[in-house]
Structures are given as structure tokens and as C-alpha cells.
Amino acid sequence: MEVIDSHQQLDIIEALEQQSIEVREQIVEVSVDMWGGFPKVVEKVFPNATLVIDRFHVMQAANKELNKVRRQVGVFDRGSKFILLRNGAELKENEKQTLEQILNRSKRLRKAYESKEELRAIYESPLTVETGRLYVEEWLNRAQKVFSEVTTTIRNHLDGICNYFRTRTTSGPMEGINNRIKLIKRQAYGFVNFENFRKRLLACFSD
């Protein structure tokens, strides 16, 4: 484990290449978000790895555009954002009623919400990579009527997104590490010196 003070592609590659090629050749999957530099990093450093775009970052992008539609159609009711962005399957009965009242105010918002839920349902389905790609492509053709940014983004990362259906790998463990890092920072009231921050993190994660 290592911590570097950079998000630059070349710096990440240099840090990862500290591991021997024998070690790096054993990596078979790498789950990342849709930051543009990650695919090139994976290709350079892990020659045998399949790139997987993390499903939760894809859904986050869809939710971001859904929320943009919510604002554009003028829905600012208290709690409306929470209800729209939450997984529909997790809504309580009273929340479902509130959701329906919100969606009745805008056909465009309803279409955007349904598109978000359709994408989530694809992720939840037991699909192969090939079938998953077919479903996602069909979804893109429907969703582009209300989602412009996220559909373009998904098209640009379609291979990595559909690779999720191989083994359903996600970046969940990394998100857990990120949350612990945030807690360490809060407990220390922040760090002015990066090297001190790095040493604290390595010490905390070595146990």
C-alpha cells in the first residue's frame, strides 16, 4: 500500500511500477471510476487486467443528471431530491406516494426517473457481458431523449461498463478505504504536511 500526493497519470504509473512486473501481471481485474486517465494507467501497468468501470460511479452520473432535470423543471420541494435519487425498491409506501405526486408534475422528470431506474435494474439483473451490452445499448437509445451528458459518457466507456457483468467487481472496498481516510483526517483536524499525512495513513492501515 502506498499514498502519493498526485492525481497525475504519469505519477500514478510511476508509483505502481514500483511493484515488479511479475506481481503486476497477476492482476486480472481493476475497477475504477470514469476519470479519463485510469484506462491508460491500467493498460500500462497491469498488462493482463480487464478494466471494469465501477457501477456505482455510473449510477452516480445518472443521478447527477436526474437531479439536473429536477432543477430545470422547477421541482424544489423539500425531500424531493432524496426521493428521486434513492433506489426505487427501497422507498417506503408513503415515499412512493410522494414520488408519484412529484412525477405527475413533469413528463420529462418522470421519463428521467424511469430511465435511472431502468439502468439500475440492468445492473441488478444476472446478465452476461454480451447480454448486458445489448441491454445497455438499448437503454442508451431510449435514455438519450432525456439524458444527454450521461449517455455520451456511458457510450465512451461502454466496454469497461459492460465488463462489470463478468464477475460484478466494484470499487466498494476502495470506497471503504476512502471513508476511513476521511475519518482519520477529521480526527486529526486536517494535515498541513503531506508526508505526516502519508505516515499516519500507512500506520493506520498496517494493522
Side-chain angles (χ1 to χ4, degrees), residues 42-204:
V42 174
E43 180 181 354
K44 171 70 174 174
V45 179
F46 305 114
N48 298 326
T50 296
L51 181 79
V52 180
I53 300 297
D54 181 55
R55 63 170 283 185
F56 297 105
H57 285 91
V58 177
M59 290 306 306
Q60 186 180 57
N63 275 330
K64 182 178 180 181
E65 193 153 3
L66 171 59
N67 192 47
K68 182 179 178 181
V69 172
R70 176 188 67 86
R71 295 195 302 267
Q72 289 174 342
V73 301
V75 174
F76 298 103
D77 307 52
R78 184 176 181 181
S80 61
K81 176 181 176 181
F82 169 81
I83 287 179
L84 287 167
L85 301 191
R86 191 176 181 189
N87 290 348
E90 298 177 356
L91 293 176
K92 299 176 182 178
E93 193 58 40
N94 63 314
E95 292 173 330
K96 291 179 181 179
Q97 294 175 6
T98 301
L99 171 66
E100 191 60 26
Q101 292 171 1
I102 293 171
L103 297 181
N104 281 338
R105 293 161 57 181
S106 169
K107 291 183 179 179
R108 183 183 173 208
L109 183 60
R110 179 181 291 277
K111 179 61 178 176
Y113 175 80
E114 290 175 347
S115 294
K116 182 265 293 187
E117 282 296 297
E118 287 173 4
L119 181 59
R120 183 183 64 79
I122 292 173
Y123 271 120
E124 296 294 332
S125 302
L127 305 173
T128 64
V129 174
E130 293 75 19
T131 306
R133 187 184 187 95
L134 178 63
Y135 276 43
V136 173
E137 288 176 339
E138 291 176 344
W139 178 86
L140 286 168
N141 292 332
R142 297 190 302 271
Q144 64 186 2
K145 297 176 182 178
V146 288
F147 287 155
S148 57
E149 294 178 16
V150 73
T151 51
T152 298
T153 300
I154 289 175
R155 288 187 194 277
N156 291 338
H157 296 87
L158 190 57
D159 289 341
I161 287 171
C162 293
N163 281 338
Y164 165 79
F165 297 106
R166 293 178 184 273
T167 58
R168 297 182 173 266
T169 298
T170 74
S171 299
M174 191 65 236
E175 294 303 317
I177 291 174
N178 284 337
N179 289 333
R180 189 175 176 190
I181 288 173
K182 292 175 183 178
L183 176 61
I184 293 168
K185 287 176 68 176
R186 286 199 302 270
Q187 291 174 336
Y189 300 100
F191 288 87
V192 176
N193 183 282
F194 171 76
E195 189 57 30
N196 290 339
F197 181 42
R198 173 182 173 275
K199 289 178 180 178
R200 174 66 70 86
L201 291 180
L202 293 178
C204 289

Side-chain angles (χ1 to χ4, degrees), residues 20-59:
S20 68
I21 185 63
E22 290 78 15
V23 171
R24 291 184 277 118
E25 285 179 339
Q26 297 179 52
I27 304 300
V28 295
E29 277 190 328
V30 179
S31 179
V32 299
D33 64 28
M34 290 182 285
W35 174 63
F38 279 137
K40 292 181 180 179
V41 170
V42 174
E43 180 181 354
K44 171 70 174 174
V45 179
F46 305 114
N48 298 326
T50 296
L51 181 79
V52 180
I53 300 297
D54 181 55
R55 63 170 283 185
F56 297 105
H57 285 91
V58 177
M59 290 306 306

